[in-house]
Coordinates of all heavy atoms in Angstrom, one line a residue:
M1 N 0.8 -1.2 0.0 CA 0.0 0.0 0.0 C 0.9 1.2 0.0 O 1.8 1.3 0.8 CB -0.9 0.0 1.2 CG -1.9 1.1 1.3 SD -3.1 0.7 2.6 CE -3.6 2.3 3.0
A2 N 0.5 2.2 -0.9 CA 1.4 3.4 -1.0 C 1.1 4.4 0.1 O 0.0 4.4 0.7 CB 1.1 4.0 -2.3
E3 N 2.1 5.1 0.5 CA 1.9 6.2 1.5 C 2.5 7.5 1.0 O 3.4 7.5 0.1 CB 2.7 5.8 2.8 CG 2.0 4.8 3.6 CD 2.7 4.5 4.9 OE1 3.3 5.5 5.5 OE2 2.7 3.4 5.3
I4 N 2.0 8.6 1.5 CA 2.5 9.9 1.1 C 3.3 10.4 2.3 O 2.9 10.4 3.4 CB 1.3 10.9 0.9 CG1 0.3 10.3 -0.1 CG2 1.8 12.2 0.5 CD1 -1.0 11.1 -0.2
S5 N 4.5 11.0 1.9 CA 5.3 11.6 2.9 C 5.6 13.0 2.4 O 5.9 13.3 1.3 CB 6.7 10.8 2.9 OG 7.7 11.6 3.4
I6 N 5.4 14.0 3.4 CA 5.7 15.4 3.1 C 6.9 15.8 3.9 O 6.8 15.7 5.1 CB 4.5 16.3 3.4 CG1 3.2 15.8 2.7 CG2 4.7 17.7 3.1 CD1 1.9 16.4 3.2
D7 N 7.9 16.3 3.2 CA 9.0 16.9 4.0 C 8.7 18.3 4.4 O 8.8 19.2 3.6 CB 10.3 16.8 3.1 CG 11.5 17.2 3.9 OD1 11.4 18.0 4.8 OD2 12.6 16.7 3.5
T8 N 8.3 18.5 5.6 CA 7.8 19.8 6.0 C 9.0 20.8 6.2 O 8.8 22.0 6.2 CB 7.0 19.7 7.3 OG1 7.7 19.0 8.3 CG2 5.7 19.1 7.1
Y9 N 10.2 20.3 6.3 CA 11.3 21.2 6.3 C 11.5 21.9 5.0 O 11.7 23.1 4.9 CB 12.6 20.4 6.7 CG 13.8 21.2 6.8 CD1 14.0 22.0 7.9 CD2 14.8 21.3 5.8 CE1 15.1 22.9 8.0 CE2 15.9 22.1 5.9 CZ 16.1 22.9 7.0 OH 17.2 23.7 7.1
L10 N 11.3 21.1 3.9 CA 11.5 21.7 2.6 C 10.2 22.5 2.1 O 10.3 23.4 1.3 CB 11.7 20.6 1.5 CG 13.1 19.9 1.6 CD1 13.2 18.8 0.6 CD2 14.2 20.9 1.4
C11 N 9.1 22.1 2.6 CA 7.8 22.8 2.2 C 7.8 24.3 2.4 O 8.2 24.7 3.5 CB 6.6 22.1 3.0 SG 5.1 22.9 2.6
S12 N 7.4 25.0 1.3 CA 7.4 26.5 1.4 C 6.0 27.0 1.8 O 5.9 28.2 1.9 CB 7.8 27.1 0.1 OG 6.9 26.8 -0.9
G13 N 5.0 26.1 1.9 CA 3.7 26.6 2.2 C 3.0 27.3 1.0 O 2.1 28.0 1.2
C14 N 3.4 26.9 -0.2 CA 2.9 27.6 -1.4 C 1.4 27.2 -1.7 O 0.7 27.9 -2.4 CB 3.7 27.3 -2.6 SG 3.5 25.6 -3.2
A15 N 1.0 26.1 -1.1 CA -0.4 25.6 -1.3 C -0.8 25.1 -2.6 O -1.9 24.9 -2.9 CB -1.4 26.7 -0.8
A16 N 0.2 24.9 -3.5 CA -0.1 24.3 -4.8 C -0.7 22.9 -4.6 O -1.7 22.6 -5.3 CB 1.2 24.2 -5.6
C17 N -0.2 22.1 -3.7 CA -0.8 20.8 -3.5 C -2.2 20.9 -3.0 O -3.1 20.0 -3.4 CB 0.1 20.0 -2.5 SG 0.3 20.8 -0.9
V18 N -2.5 21.9 -2.2 CA -3.9 22.1 -1.7 C -4.8 22.4 -2.9 O -6.0 21.9 -2.9 CB -3.9 23.1 -0.6 CG1 -5.3 23.3 0.0 CG2 -2.9 22.8 0.5
E19 N -4.4 23.3 -3.8 CA -5.2 23.6 -4.9 C -5.4 22.5 -5.8 O -6.6 22.3 -6.3 CB -4.5 24.8 -5.7 CG -4.8 26.1 -5.1 CD -4.2 27.3 -5.9 OE1 -4.2 27.2 -7.1 OE2 -3.6 28.1 -5.2
I20 N -4.4 21.7 -6.0 CA -4.5 20.5 -7.0 C -5.4 19.4 -6.3 O -6.2 18.8 -7.0 CB -3.1 20.0 -7.4 CG1 -2.4 21.1 -8.2 CG2 -3.2 18.7 -8.2 CD1 -1.0 20.8 -8.4
C21 N -5.2 19.2 -5.1 CA -5.8 18.0 -4.4 C -6.3 18.4 -3.0 O -5.7 17.9 -2.0 CB -4.6 17.0 -4.4 SG -5.2 15.3 -4.1
P22 N -7.3 19.1 -2.9 CA -7.8 19.6 -1.6 C -8.4 18.6 -0.8 O -8.7 18.8 0.4 CB -8.9 20.7 -2.0 CG -9.3 20.3 -3.4 CD -8.1 19.7 -4.1
L23 N -8.7 17.4 -1.3 CA -9.3 16.3 -0.5 C -8.2 15.6 0.3 O -8.5 14.9 1.3 CB -10.1 15.3 -1.3 CG -11.3 15.9 -2.0 CD1 -12.0 14.8 -2.8 CD2 -12.3 16.4 -1.0
V24 N -7.0 15.8 -0.1 CA -5.8 15.1 0.6 C -4.9 16.0 1.4 O -4.5 15.7 2.5 CB -5.0 14.3 -0.5 CG1 -3.8 13.7 0.1 CG2 -5.9 13.2 -1.1
F25 N -4.7 17.2 0.8 CA -3.7 18.1 1.4 C -4.4 19.4 2.0 O -5.4 19.8 1.5 CB -2.6 18.6 0.4 CG -1.8 17.5 -0.2 CD1 -2.2 17.0 -1.4 CD2 -0.8 16.9 0.5 CE1 -1.4 15.9 -2.0 CE2 0.0 15.9 -0.1 CZ -0.3 15.4 -1.3
R26 N -3.8 19.9 3.1 CA -4.2 21.2 3.6 C -3.0 21.8 4.2 O -2.0 21.2 4.4 CB -5.3 21.0 4.6 CG -4.9 20.4 5.9 CD -6.0 20.2 6.9 NE -5.5 19.4 8.0 CZ -6.3 18.7 8.8 NH1 -7.6 18.7 8.6 NH2 -5.9 17.9 9.8
L27 N -3.1 23.1 4.5 CA -2.0 23.8 5.2 C -2.2 23.8 6.7 O -3.4 24.1 7.1 CB -1.8 25.2 4.7 CG -1.2 25.4 3.3 CD1 -0.9 26.9 3.1 CD2 0.0 24.6 3.1
D28 N -1.2 23.4 7.4 CA -1.3 23.5 8.9 C -1.4 25.0 9.2 O -0.5 25.8 8.9 CB 0.0 22.9 9.5 CG 0.0 22.9 11.0 OD1 -0.5 23.9 11.6 OD2 0.5 22.0 11.6
P29 N -2.5 25.4 9.9 CA -2.7 26.8 10.2 C -1.6 27.4 11.1 O -1.4 28.6 11.1 CB -4.0 26.9 10.9 CG -4.3 25.5 11.3 CD -3.6 24.6 10.5
I30 N -0.9 26.6 11.8 CA 0.1 27.1 12.8 C 1.5 27.3 12.1 O 2.0 28.4 12.1 CB 0.3 26.1 14.0 CG1 -1.1 26.0 14.6 CG2 1.4 26.6 14.9 CD1 -1.2 25.8 16.1
N31 N 2.0 26.3 11.4 CA 3.3 26.4 10.8 C 3.2 26.7 9.3 O 4.2 26.9 8.6 CB 4.2 25.3 11.1 CG 3.7 24.0 10.5 OD1 2.9 24.0 9.6 ND2 4.3 22.8 10.9
E32 N 2.0 26.7 8.7 CA 1.7 27.0 7.3 C 2.5 26.1 6.4 O 3.0 26.5 5.3 CB 2.0 28.5 7.0 CG 1.1 29.4 7.8 CD 1.2 30.8 7.5 OE1 2.3 31.2 7.1 OE2 0.3 31.6 7.6
K33 N 2.6 24.8 6.8 CA 3.2 23.8 5.9 C 2.1 22.8 5.6 O 1.1 22.7 6.3 CB 4.3 23.0 6.7 CG 5.4 23.9 7.4 CD 6.5 24.2 6.4 CE 7.6 24.9 7.1 NZ 8.8 25.1 6.2
A34 N 2.4 22.1 4.4 CA 1.4 21.1 4.0 C 1.3 20.0 5.0 O 2.3 19.6 5.6 CB 1.8 20.7 2.6
E35 N 0.1 19.5 5.1 CA -0.1 18.2 5.9 C -1.2 17.4 5.3 O -2.0 17.9 4.4 CB -0.4 18.6 7.4 CG -1.8 19.3 7.5 CD -2.1 19.6 9.0 OE1 -1.2 19.4 9.9 OE2 -3.2 20.0 9.2
L36 N -1.3 16.2 5.7 CA -2.4 15.3 5.1 C -3.6 15.5 6.0 O -3.6 15.6 7.2 CB -1.9 13.8 5.2 CG -0.8 13.4 4.3 CD1 -0.4 12.0 4.6 CD2 -1.1 13.6 2.9
I37 N -4.8 15.5 5.3 CA -6.1 15.6 6.0 C -6.4 14.3 6.7 O -6.8 14.3 7.8 CB -7.2 16.0 5.0 CG1 -6.9 17.4 4.5 CG2 -8.5 15.9 5.7 CD1 -7.8 17.9 3.3
R38 N -6.1 13.2 6.0 CA -6.3 11.9 6.6 C -4.9 11.2 6.5 O -4.2 11.4 5.5 CB -7.3 11.1 5.8 CG -8.8 11.6 6.0 CD -9.7 10.8 5.2 NE -9.4 9.3 5.3 CZ -9.6 8.5 4.3 NH1 -10.1 8.9 3.1 NH2 -9.4 7.2 4.4
L39 N -4.7 10.3 7.4 CA -3.4 9.7 7.5 C -3.1 8.8 6.3 O -1.9 8.9 5.8 CB -3.4 8.8 8.8 CG -2.0 8.9 9.6 CD1 -1.6 10.3 9.8 CD2 -2.2 8.2 10.9
Q40 N -4.0 8.0 5.9 CA -3.7 7.2 4.7 C -4.7 7.4 3.6 O -5.6 6.5 3.4 CB -3.7 5.7 5.2 CG -2.5 5.4 6.1 CD -2.2 4.0 6.2 OE1 -3.1 3.1 6.3 NE2 -0.9 3.7 6.1
P41 N -4.6 8.5 2.9 CA -5.6 8.7 1.9 C -5.4 7.8 0.7 O -4.3 7.3 0.5 CB -5.3 10.2 1.5 CG -3.9 10.4 1.8 CD -3.6 9.5 3.0
E42 N -6.5 7.8 -0.1 CA -6.4 7.0 -1.4 C -5.4 7.8 -2.3 O -5.5 9.0 -2.4 CB -7.7 6.9 -2.0 CG -7.8 6.0 -3.2 CD -9.1 6.1 -3.9 OE1 -10.1 6.6 -3.3 OE2 -9.2 5.6 -5.1
I43 N -4.5 7.1 -3.0 CA -3.5 7.7 -3.8 C -4.1 7.9 -5.2 O -4.0 7.0 -6.0 CB -2.2 7.0 -3.9 CG1 -1.7 6.5 -2.5 CG2 -1.1 7.8 -4.6 CD1 -1.2 7.6 -1.6
T44 N -4.8 9.0 -5.5 CA -5.4 9.2 -6.8 C -4.4 9.9 -7.7 O -3.3 10.2 -7.3 CB -6.6 10.2 -6.6 OG1 -6.1 11.4 -6.1 CG2 -7.6 9.6 -5.7
D45 N -4.8 10.0 -9.0 CA -4.0 10.7 -10.0 C -3.6 12.1 -9.5 O -2.5 12.6 -9.8 CB -4.7 10.7 -11.3 CG -4.7 9.4 -12.0 OD1 -4.0 8.5 -11.5 OD2 -5.4 9.2 -13.0
D46 N -4.6 12.8 -8.8 CA -4.3 14.1 -8.4 C -3.2 14.2 -7.3 O -2.5 15.2 -7.2 CB -5.6 14.7 -7.7 CG -6.6 15.2 -8.8 OD1 -6.2 15.3 -10.0 OD2 -7.7 15.6 -8.4
V47 N -3.1 13.1 -6.6 CA -2.0 13.1 -5.6 C -0.6 13.1 -6.3 O 0.3 13.8 -6.0 CB -2.1 11.9 -4.6 CG1 -0.9 11.8 -3.7 CG2 -3.4 12.0 -3.8
Y48 N -0.6 12.3 -7.4 CA 0.7 12.2 -8.2 C 0.9 13.6 -8.9 O 2.1 14.0 -9.0 CB 0.6 11.1 -9.2 CG 0.8 9.7 -8.7 CD1 -0.3 8.9 -8.3 CD2 2.1 9.2 -8.4 CE1 -0.1 7.7 -7.8 CE2 2.3 8.0 -7.8 CZ 1.2 7.2 -7.5 OH 1.3 6.0 -7.0
L49 N -0.2 14.2 -9.3 CA -0.1 15.5 -9.9 C 0.5 16.5 -8.9 O 1.4 17.3 -9.3 CB -1.5 15.9 -10.4 CG -1.5 16.9 -11.6 CD1 -0.8 16.2 -12.8 CD2 -3.0 17.2 -11.9
A50 N -0.1 16.5 -7.7 CA 0.4 17.4 -6.7 C 1.9 17.2 -6.4 O 2.6 18.2 -6.3 CB -0.5 17.3 -5.4
A51 N 2.3 16.0 -6.3 CA 3.7 15.7 -6.1 C 4.5 16.2 -7.2 O 5.6 16.8 -7.0 CB 3.9 14.2 -5.9
A52 N 4.1 16.0 -8.5 CA 4.8 16.5 -9.6 C 5.0 18.0 -9.7 O 6.0 18.5 -10.1 CB 4.2 15.9 -10.9
Y53 N 3.9 18.7 -9.2 CA 3.9 20.1 -9.3 C 4.4 20.8 -8.1 O 4.6 22.0 -8.1 CB 2.5 20.6 -9.6 CG 2.1 20.6 -11.1 CD1 1.5 19.5 -11.6 CD2 2.5 21.6 -12.0 CE1 1.2 19.4 -13.0 CE2 2.2 21.5 -13.3 CZ 1.5 20.4 -13.8 OH 1.2 20.4 -15.2
C54 N 4.7 20.1 -7.1 CA 5.3 20.7 -5.9 C 6.6 21.3 -6.2 O 7.5 20.6 -6.6 CB 5.5 19.7 -4.8 SG 6.4 20.3 -3.4
P55 N 6.7 22.7 -6.1 CA 8.0 23.3 -6.5 C 9.2 22.9 -5.6 O 10.3 23.0 -6.1 CB 7.7 24.8 -6.3 CG 6.5 24.9 -5.4 CD 5.7 23.6 -5.6
E56 N 8.9 22.5 -4.4 CA 10.1 22.1 -3.5 C 10.4 20.6 -3.6 O 11.3 20.1 -3.0 CB 9.8 22.5 -2.1 CG 9.4 23.9 -1.9 CD 10.4 24.9 -2.4 OE1 11.6 24.6 -2.5 OE2 10.0 26.1 -2.8
K57 N 9.5 19.9 -4.4 CA 9.7 18.4 -4.5 C 9.7 17.7 -3.2 O 10.6 16.9 -2.9 CB 11.0 18.1 -5.3 CG 10.9 18.5 -6.8 CD 10.1 17.6 -7.6 CE 9.7 18.1 -9.0 NZ 8.5 18.9 -9.1
C58 N 8.8 18.1 -2.3 CA 8.9 17.6 -1.0 C 7.7 16.6 -0.7 O 7.5 16.1 0.4 CB 8.9 18.7 0.1 SG 7.6 19.9 0.0
I59 N 6.9 16.3 -1.7 CA 5.9 15.3 -1.6 C 6.4 14.0 -2.2 O 6.7 14.0 -3.4 CB 4.6 15.7 -2.3 CG1 4.0 17.0 -1.7 CG2 3.5 14.5 -2.1 CD1 2.8 17.5 -2.4
E60 N 6.5 13.0 -1.4 CA 7.0 11.7 -1.9 C 5.9 10.6 -1.7 O 5.2 10.6 -0.7 CB 8.2 11.3 -1.1 CG 9.0 10.2 -1.8 CD 10.2 9.8 -0.9 OE1 10.5 10.4 0.1 OE2 10.8 8.8 -1.3
I61 N 5.7 9.9 -2.8 CA 4.8 8.7 -2.7 C 5.6 7.5 -2.6 O 6.4 7.1 -3.5 CB 3.8 8.8 -3.9 CG1 3.0 10.0 -3.9 CG2 2.9 7.5 -3.9 CD1 2.4 10.5 -5.2
I62 N 5.5 6.8 -1.5 CA 6.2 5.6 -1.2 C 5.4 4.4 -1.5 O 4.4 4.2 -0.9 CB 6.7 5.6 0.2 CG1 7.5 6.9 0.5 CG2 7.6 4.4 0.5 CD1 7.5 7.3 2.0
E63 N 5.8 3.7 -2.6 CA 5.0 2.5 -3.0 C 5.3 1.4 -2.0 O 6.5 1.0 -1.8 CB 5.3 2.1 -4.4 CG 5.3 3.2 -5.4 CD 3.8 3.7 -5.8 OE1 2.9 3.0 -5.4 OE2 3.7 4.7 -6.4
G64 N 4.2 0.8 -1.4 CA 4.4 -0.2 -0.4 C 4.5 -1.6 -1.0 O 4.2 -1.8 -2.2
Ligands
LIG101 S1 3.1 22.1 -3.1 FE1 4.9 21.4 -2.0 S2 5.9 23.3 -1.2 FE2 3.8 23.8 -1.8 S3 2.6 23.6 0.1 FE3 2.5 21.7 -1.0 S4 4.1 20.4 -0.2 FE4 4.5 22.5 0.4

């Protein structure tokens, strides 16, 4: 089963992933970094798109 990992150190908080895939990603209101809405979301095409468009390349999809 695939998992999503977000490197919050690299994340700039640009919210591109949230715009592309709002059912999976949101910004943490405190540190303004991306986080997962649910721990193990379904890995849809939009998740791959968000990872591809992340300017910091900090979304990783780990195939299980
Ligand atoms: S697209 Fe990347 S850098 Fe931008 S908020 Fe999402 S995880 Fe962070």
Side-chain angles (χ1 to χ4, degrees):
M1 185 166 155
E3 282 185 35
I4 305 169
S5 155
I6 303 170
D7 186 331
T8 51
Y9 181 76
L10 291 178
C11 174
S12 66
C14 73
C17 57
V18 181
E19 277 182 41
I20 293 169
C21 199
L23 295 179
V24 171
F25 300 99
R26 69 182 170 202
L27 286 191
D28 180 323
I30 302 211
N31 66 13
E32 297 185 333
K33 307 273 191 175
E35 66 180 9
L36 295 175
I37 295 172
R38 290 179 43 213
L39 220 48
Q40 293 202 314
E42 188 187 344
I43 315 285
T44 59
D45 287 350
D46 279 354
V47 174
Y48 284 98
L49 207 60
Y53 278 93
C54 170
E56 308 302 334
K57 293 283 167 272
C58 56
I59 301 173
E60 197 183 351
I61 296 157
I62 304 155
E63 309 287 349

